[in-house]
Amino acid sequence: MPTHAEQRKLPYTQKQLFDLVAEVDRYPEFLPWCLASRITKREDDYFLADLIIGYKMVREKFGSKVTVKPNSEVHVEYVSGPMKHLSNRWRFIEEPDGSCTIDFYVDFEFKNKFFQSVMEVFFNEAVKRMVGAFEDRAHKLYDQDGSVSSNVSPSKNG
């Protein structure tokens, strides 16, 4: 079962990074291998989402429950699809200087042994590319001369 955990401090506000991760319906715009996403149900503190992930001739659809704690945490739990399990957590830790530290964790296992063995070979590279895609998206949306966007100023309230 591959797992990955990392922390990364970024020059964006807690709210900016939370919004970026929580907007699952925008993932196909920037996330590698995400071909489509759809939110199927919304409740107060969670939503259900379907993602279609693909690479070359392989396409898989999986459903997840995404629990949100506004501006501080996004937790993804596996509901349906080709996996035995999936647990993914993003925590957003506001820093005194207005920046934010992301605490990221993912753990999953495919039902199909072949997919699992292939994924284990490419797992570290795939996770680096996915986390990097979020960071690149933040740069694109929020940077202005390499600093926190002037559209949103750092504050305790986001």
Side-chain angles (χ1 to χ4, degrees):
M1 287 185 285
T3 63
H4 178 82
E6 73 175 89
Q7 287 191 338
R8 197 177 285 195
K9 184 177 177 182
L10 298 174
Y12 309 108
T13 67
Q14 185 182 39
K15 181 180 182 341
Q16 286 174 319
L17 294 174
F18 171 84
D19 288 348
L20 179 65
V21 172
E23 291 178 343
V24 172
D25 49 341
R26 310 269 324 248
Y27 285 8
E29 295 175 21
F30 66 94
L31 191 61
W33 311 295
C34 184
L35 304 177
S37 63
R38 176 178 66 146
I39 295 175
T40 59
K41 179 180 180 180
R42 287 189 186 271
E43 294 292 331
D44 289 337
D45 63 345
Y46 78 92
F47 57 89
L48 301 179
D50 290 336
L51 266 65
I52 297 177
I53 305 297
Y55 181 73
K56 296 190 179 188
M57 299 300 290
V58 176
R59 288 176 190 246
E60 291 289 345
K61 175 181 169 184
F62 73 93
S64 58
K65 177 182 177 183
V66 181
T67 304
V68 294
K69 293 181 184 173
N71 299 334
S72 65
E73 189 170 325
V74 174
H75 185 251
V76 180
E77 298 172 83
Y78 177 71
V79 174
S80 63
M83 300 180 156
K84 282 187 180 178
H85 77 275
L86 164 71
S87 180
N88 175 218
R89 184 199 71 232
W90 297 80
R91 288 184 34 225
F92 307 94
I93 304 158
E94 185 177 32
E95 299 295 342
D97 64 0
S99 67
C100 181
T101 297
I102 294 174
D103 181 14
F104 173 79
Y105 172 82
V106 64
D107 171 26
F108 69 89
E109 184 175 5
F110 281 98
K111 292 175 188 172
N112 181 302
K113 298 287 186 199
F114 174 74
F115 283 153
Q116 184 65 24
S117 63
V118 168
M119 190 60 202
E120 286 175 3
V121 171
F122 297 106
F123 178 73
N124 287 331
E125 183 61 31
V127 171
K128 285 180 191 176
R129 284 189 62 188
M130 290 182 348
V131 172
F134 282 97
E135 187 171 356
D136 291 345
R137 179 71 168 181
H139 290 312
K140 182 178 178 183
L141 293 176
Y142 306 129
D143 270 2
Q144 223 174 32
D145 300 325
S147 61
V148 175
S149 171
S150 61
N151 296 331
V152 180
S153 61
S155 71
K156 294 279 184 206
N157 298 327

